[in-house]
Amino acid sequence: MLIFFKRLFFILLTIGYMAFIWIQSSYFDPESLVGFTSSLSQSFFLIIGAGLEFAHLFQFGLLYLCIVIVFLSFGRLRTWQEIIAVIISLGYGILDEIHQLYVPFRSFSIGDLFKDTIGIIVFWWVVHRGYFYKESSRIGRWLRSII
């Protein structure tokens, strides 16, 4: 019974994270930034902008990791499950970019998709290496403890 709730928790966490991504990308009001940006120095504003761009690398890589954790809650991770997790993560990134076509002040961006893809590849590499090749690493031990 505990395993059932563990699996359900990971599934709901992943769905919740996907909803967070969707909601976060649904809102952008440049008017709200006018007062905020005029009180900041230009270099600080550039740092914030770079941080938001860097978030793309992390955001969809973390989605990949959430999906892998769901798979791990059902047993040993298989290569085909990694591929499915990559496809779902990339597909959700594409869906999110298409969704942004219909959000005021947002647009479809190949650059954002490229950043999403890099983030997913980095997370895949870390998970794959830790789980399959570096089993005694912290990441490998942590991933195995999910089962």
Side-chain angles (χ1 to χ4, degrees):
M1 190 61 129
L2 180 62
I3 290 176
F4 170 78
F5 287 113
K6 190 176 184 181
R7 289 175 181 161
L8 182 63
F9 172 75
F10 290 136
I11 290 167
L12 292 176
L13 180 69
T14 302
I15 292 169
Y17 183 65
M18 292 171 85
F20 168 77
I21 291 171
W22 189 270
I23 292 167
Q24 173 268 327
S25 70
S26 295
Y27 296 102
F28 179 71
D29 181 13
E31 294 294 324
S32 65
L33 295 176
V34 172
F36 180 70
T37 58
S38 64
S39 64
L40 297 174
S41 71
Q42 187 175 10
S43 60
F44 187 69
F45 185 65
L46 289 174
I47 290 170
I48 291 173
L52 291 173
E53 291 301 316
F54 182 72
H56 272 277
L57 297 173
F58 186 76
Q59 191 174 37
F60 286 89
L62 187 58
L63 176 59
Y64 165 81
L65 180 61
C66 287
I67 296 166
V68 165
I69 289 171
V70 168
F71 282 133
L72 282 169
S73 72
F74 285 89
R76 185 158 173 77
L77 184 65
R78 308 279 186 228
T79 303
W80 68 267
Q81 292 170 317
E82 287 184 299
I83 293 167
I84 295 296
V86 166
I87 291 169
I88 292 170
S89 300
L90 284 173
Y92 197 71
I94 292 167
L95 181 65
D96 186 51
E97 289 300 320
I98 292 169
H99 155 250
Q100 289 179 33
L101 284 171
Y102 303 98
V103 175
F105 307 110
R106 302 297 303 258
S107 63
F108 185 97
S109 170
I110 296 294
D112 286 351
L113 277 177
F114 182 71
K115 289 179 273 188
D116 298 345
T117 303
I118 290 172
I120 292 166
I121 289 169
V122 168
F123 272 71
W124 167 81
W125 183 80
V126 169
V127 166
H128 186 80
R129 186 174 161 106
Y131 190 82
F132 291 106
Y133 298 108
K134 300 273 188 180
E135 297 176 9
S136 62
S137 69
R138 281 189 209 164
I139 292 172
R141 287 192 312 263
W142 176 73
L143 290 168
R144 283 184 164 57
S145 73
I146 294 168
I147 299 174

